[in-house]
Structure formats: structure tokens, C-alpha cells
Amino acid sequence: MTTTSSVLNRLVSTSAPGAVVLVRLYVGAVFLFEGILKFLEPGRLGPGRFEKAGIPAPGFFAPLDGVFEIGCGALILVGLLTRLAVVPMIVDMLGALLITKLPILWGASPLFPDGAGWWDFVHESRTDLAQLCGSLFLLLVGAGSFSLDAKLSPPADARSR
């Protein structure tokens, strides 16, 4: 077995049950739709939002983020290279939480000027936290048996050789 096929086998291997498809559908759909919305609503959800949040070069980073969300969201939906696809989305969610949601704790968020404190932070962070947890889950267990990863994965007895 070559090193490349060994790495690919590790990326696509999954022994998770088919029910994982429910997590994959939710996580993948939210990333896909949010990525598309960055292009459909650039002032509100794309570069305009990135600029308001204080992210440098919003005209570059918002479309880049949108492309990653669309591409990775689609891969997660179909269960192809799922473990690889969730890695940039984990970084994306950590960035969203740190840059846009954490300032709510001390009442300094330009995106949520009326929000301050723990309860406002938890409320505004709920989707980001769900996406982060769902992505971490998929990184750990893989795409599950109803996925393209499972179709590409060698049988369990072939992996043990």
C-alpha cells in the first residue's frame, strides 16, 4: 500500500453508523447555505458584515470564507473527504466565535451593539457552537455508513492487513 493510499484510507475510513447522516446533513447544509448567502447578500452577510466586524480586507476574506463554506459544506453533505472538509470549518467557527461573538461578553461587539454579558453571548453563539460541535464530531467519527467516504473506504478486513 502506498503512502498516498494509506492517507486517503485514513481520511475516508468510518465505522460510524448511518445515523451520522443527520449530523452531516445539518452541518453541511448550514455551511453551504451560509456560504451562498455571503454572495447573495454581500452588504449584510459578506464583505459588509466582515467590515463591520473589523476584519481586515473584507473584500478578500468574505468571498474566500464563502467559497470554503460552499465547497466544504457540499463535501460534508455528500460525505466525501468529510474529515478533511471539516478542518477548515472548525477554524472558521473558532474565528467566528473569537472575532464576532466573544466581544459580546464585555459589550464591545460592533455586530451586536445591544448585546452584553454571558446570556447574550450564549444566545448569539448558538449556531456557531452547534456547527463547531458538529464539525468536531464528524472529524472524530467520520462520515458514517451512508456516505461516499464509506463507499471509498476499504473493507475492515483489508484495513487490518
Side-chain angles (χ1 to χ4, degrees):
M1 182 181 303
T2 67
T3 304
T4 305
S5 64
S6 175
V7 170
L8 182 62
N9 286 343
R10 280 193 214 123
L11 279 175
V12 300
S13 69
T14 181
S15 59
V20 170
V21 72
L22 298 174
V23 175
R24 245 189 33 245
L25 290 175
Y26 168 78
V27 170
V30 171
F31 281 132
L32 177 68
F33 300 153
E34 287 299 315
I36 292 169
L37 283 167
K38 282 180 177 60
F39 294 100
L40 294 178
E41 300 279 345
R44 197 168 62 86
L45 300 170
R49 181 178 176 90
F50 278 51
E51 183 176 10
K52 189 174 179 182
I55 298 171
F60 173 77
F61 284 113
L64 178 67
D65 187 43
V67 166
F68 266 92
E69 288 178 345
I70 292 167
C72 292
L75 288 171
I76 293 165
L77 272 172
V78 298
L80 179 62
L81 301 174
T82 305
R83 285 190 167 106
L84 185 62
V86 297
V87 171
M89 297 299 89
I90 291 168
V91 172
D92 189 38
M93 289 299 91
L94 289 172
L97 285 163
L98 291 171
I99 295 168
T100 67
K101 304 307 187 307
L102 195 61
I104 296 171
L105 287 173
W106 52 87
S109 174
L111 293 178
F112 306 97
D114 297 331
W118 172 254
W119 294 112
D120 287 333
F121 166 77
V122 171
H123 172 71
E124 295 299 342
S125 301
R126 67 195 181 279
T127 304
D128 300 320
L129 291 168
Q131 288 296 99
L132 177 60
C133 289
S135 296
L136 288 168
F137 175 79
L138 292 170
L139 179 65
L140 294 173
V141 304
S145 59
F146 298 130
S147 67
L148 291 176
D149 283 350
K151 301 275 187 264
L152 296 172
S153 184
D157 60 338
R159 280 183 290 207
S160 62
R161 289 185 219 158

